[in-house]
Coordinates of all heavy atoms in Angstrom, one line a residue:
T5 N 133.9 132.6 73.2 CA 133.7 132.9 71.7 C 132.9 131.9 71.0 O 132.7 130.8 71.6 CB 135.1 133.0 71.1 OG1 135.7 131.7 71.0 CG2 136.1 133.9 71.8
A6 N 132.5 132.2 69.8 CA 131.8 131.2 69.0 C 132.7 130.3 68.2 O 132.2 129.6 67.3 CB 130.8 131.9 68.1
N7 N 134.0 130.4 68.5 CA 135.0 129.6 67.8 C 134.8 128.1 68.3 O 135.0 127.8 69.4 CB 136.4 130.1 68.1 CG 137.4 129.3 67.3 OD1 137.2 128.3 66.6 ND2 138.7 129.7 67.5
M8 N 134.5 127.2 67.4 CA 134.3 125.8 67.7 C 135.5 125.2 68.2 O 135.5 124.1 68.9 CB 133.7 125.0 66.6 CG 132.3 125.5 66.1 SD 131.6 124.4 64.8 CE 130.1 125.3 64.5
Q9 N 136.7 125.7 68.0 CA 137.9 125.2 68.4 C 138.3 125.6 69.8 O 139.2 125.0 70.5 CB 139.1 125.6 67.5 CG 138.9 125.2 66.0 CD 138.6 123.7 65.9 OE1 139.3 122.9 66.5 NE2 137.6 123.3 65.0
D10 N 137.6 126.6 70.3 CA 137.9 127.1 71.7 C 137.1 126.3 72.7 O 136.1 126.8 73.3 CB 137.5 128.6 71.7 CG 137.8 129.3 73.1 OD1 138.7 128.7 73.8 OD2 137.3 130.3 73.4
V11 N 137.6 125.1 72.9 CA 136.9 124.2 73.9 C 137.0 124.7 75.3 O 136.1 124.7 76.1 CB 137.5 122.8 73.7 CG1 136.9 121.9 74.8 CG2 137.2 122.2 72.3
R12 N 138.2 125.2 75.7 CA 138.4 125.7 77.0 C 137.5 126.9 77.3 O 136.9 127.0 78.4 CB 139.8 126.1 77.2 CG 140.9 125.0 77.1 CD 140.7 124.0 78.3 NE 141.8 123.0 78.2 CZ 141.8 121.9 79.0 NH1 140.8 121.6 79.8 NH2 142.8 121.0 78.9
G13 N 137.4 127.8 76.4 CA 136.5 128.9 76.6 C 135.0 128.6 76.7 O 134.2 129.2 77.3
A14 N 134.7 127.4 76.0 CA 133.3 127.0 76.0 C 132.8 126.3 77.2 O 131.7 126.0 77.4 CB 133.0 126.1 74.8
A15 N 133.8 126.0 78.1 CA 133.4 125.3 79.4 C 132.4 126.0 80.2 O 131.4 125.5 80.7 CB 134.7 125.0 80.2
L16 N 132.6 127.4 80.3 CA 131.6 128.2 81.0 C 130.3 128.1 80.4 O 129.2 128.0 81.0 CB 132.1 129.6 81.1 CG 131.2 130.6 81.8 CD1 130.8 130.2 83.2 CD2 131.8 132.0 81.8
A17 N 130.2 128.3 79.0 CA 129.0 128.2 78.3 C 128.3 126.9 78.5 O 127.0 126.8 78.4 CB 129.2 128.5 76.8
S18 N 129.0 125.8 78.7 CA 128.4 124.5 78.7 C 127.4 124.4 79.9 O 126.5 123.5 79.9 CB 129.5 123.4 78.9 OG 130.1 123.4 80.2
Y19 N 127.6 125.2 80.9 CA 126.7 125.2 82.1 C 125.4 126.1 81.9 O 124.5 126.0 82.6 CB 127.4 125.6 83.3 CG 128.5 124.7 83.7 CD1 129.9 125.0 83.3 CD2 128.3 123.6 84.5 CE1 130.9 124.1 83.6 CE2 129.4 122.7 84.8 CZ 130.7 123.0 84.3 OH 131.7 122.2 84.6
L20 N 125.5 127.0 80.9 CA 124.4 128.0 80.7 C 123.7 127.8 79.4 O 122.7 128.5 79.1 CB 125.1 129.4 80.7 CG 125.9 129.8 81.9 CD1 126.5 131.2 81.7 CD2 125.0 129.7 83.2
L21 N 124.0 126.8 78.6 CA 123.4 126.6 77.3 C 122.1 125.9 77.3 O 122.0 124.8 76.9 CB 124.4 125.9 76.4 CG 125.2 126.7 75.4 CD1 126.3 126.0 74.8 CD2 124.2 127.2 74.2
F22 N 121.1 126.5 77.9 CA 119.8 125.9 78.0 C 119.1 126.2 76.7 O 118.0 126.9 76.6 CB 119.0 126.5 79.2 CG 119.6 126.1 80.5 CD1 120.5 126.9 81.2 CD2 119.2 124.9 81.1 CE1 121.0 126.6 82.4 CE2 119.7 124.6 82.4 CZ 120.6 125.4 83.0
E23 N 119.6 125.7 75.6 CA 119.0 125.8 74.3 C 118.9 124.4 73.7 O 119.7 123.5 73.9 CB 119.9 126.7 73.4 CG 120.0 128.1 73.8 CD 118.7 128.9 73.6 OE1 117.8 128.4 72.8 OE2 118.5 129.9 74.3
Q24 N 117.7 124.2 73.0 CA 117.4 122.8 72.6 C 118.4 122.1 71.7 O 118.5 120.9 71.8 CB 116.0 122.8 72.0 CG 115.9 123.6 70.7 CD 114.4 123.5 70.1 OE1 113.5 123.4 70.9 NE2 114.3 123.7 68.8
A25 N 119.1 122.8 70.9 CA 120.1 122.1 70.0 C 121.1 121.5 70.9 O 121.6 120.3 70.6 CB 120.7 123.1 69.0
Y26 N 121.6 122.2 71.9 CA 122.6 121.6 72.8 C 122.0 120.6 73.7 O 122.6 119.5 73.8 CB 123.2 122.8 73.6 CG 124.2 122.4 74.7 CD1 125.4 121.9 74.4 CD2 123.9 122.6 76.1 CE1 126.3 121.5 75.4 CE2 124.8 122.3 77.0 CZ 126.0 121.7 76.7 OH 126.9 121.4 77.7
T27 N 120.9 120.8 74.3 CA 120.3 119.9 75.2 C 119.9 118.6 74.5 O 120.1 117.5 75.1 CB 119.1 120.4 76.0 OG1 118.1 120.9 75.0 CG2 119.5 121.6 76.9
R28 N 119.4 118.7 73.3 CA 119.1 117.5 72.5 C 120.4 116.7 72.2 O 120.3 115.4 72.2 CB 118.3 117.8 71.3 CG 116.9 118.3 71.5 CD 116.2 118.7 70.3 NE 114.8 119.1 70.5 CZ 114.0 119.5 69.6 NH1 114.3 119.5 68.3 NH2 112.7 119.9 69.9
D29 N 121.5 117.3 71.9 CA 122.7 116.6 71.6 C 123.1 115.9 72.9 O 123.6 114.7 72.8 CB 123.8 117.6 71.2 CG 123.8 117.9 69.7 OD1 122.9 117.3 69.0 OD2 124.7 118.7 69.3
L30 N 123.0 116.5 74.1 CA 123.4 115.8 75.3 C 122.5 114.7 75.6 O 122.9 113.6 76.1 CB 123.4 116.8 76.5 CG 124.5 118.0 76.4 CD1 124.6 118.6 77.7 CD2 125.8 117.5 75.9
M31 N 121.2 114.8 75.4 CA 120.2 113.8 75.6 C 120.5 112.6 74.7 O 120.5 111.4 75.2 CB 118.8 114.3 75.4 CG 118.3 115.2 76.4 SD 116.8 116.1 75.9 CE 115.6 114.7 75.9
A32 N 120.9 112.8 73.5 CA 121.2 111.8 72.5 C 122.5 111.1 73.0 O 122.6 109.8 72.9 CB 121.4 112.3 71.1
L33 N 123.5 111.8 73.5 CA 124.7 111.2 74.0 C 124.4 110.4 75.3 O 125.0 109.3 75.4 CB 125.7 112.3 74.3 CG 127.1 111.9 74.9 CD1 127.8 111.0 73.9 CD2 127.9 113.1 75.3
G34 N 123.6 110.9 76.2 CA 123.2 110.1 77.4 C 122.6 108.8 77.0 O 122.9 107.7 77.6
R35 N 121.7 108.8 76.0 CA 121.0 107.6 75.6 C 122.0 106.6 75.0 O 122.0 105.4 75.3 CB 119.9 108.0 74.6 CG 119.2 106.8 74.0 CD 118.1 107.2 73.0 NE 117.6 106.1 72.3 CZ 116.7 105.2 72.7 NH1 116.2 105.4 74.0 NH2 116.2 104.2 72.0
A36 N 122.9 107.1 74.1 CA 123.9 106.3 73.4 C 124.8 105.6 74.4 O 125.1 104.4 74.3 CB 124.6 107.1 72.4

């Protein structure tokens, strides 16, 4: 779901989210 509180449900999406908003957030986290 698109519910931001549904972290468990988003686990599957975390592997498929090849979208720049998500990948840029992860790149920024890796750098930090």
Side-chain angles (χ1 to χ4, degrees):
T5 71
N7 181 358
M8 294 185 183
Q9 303 303 317
D10 184 16
V11 175
R12 295 294 187 190
L16 175 59
S18 72
Y19 298 94
L20 304 177
L21 259 166
F22 293 93
E23 294 291 338
Q24 63 181 26
Y26 175 66
T27 57
R28 288 179 180 180
D29 275 1
L30 296 196
M31 291 168 65
L33 179 62
R35 176 179 172 80

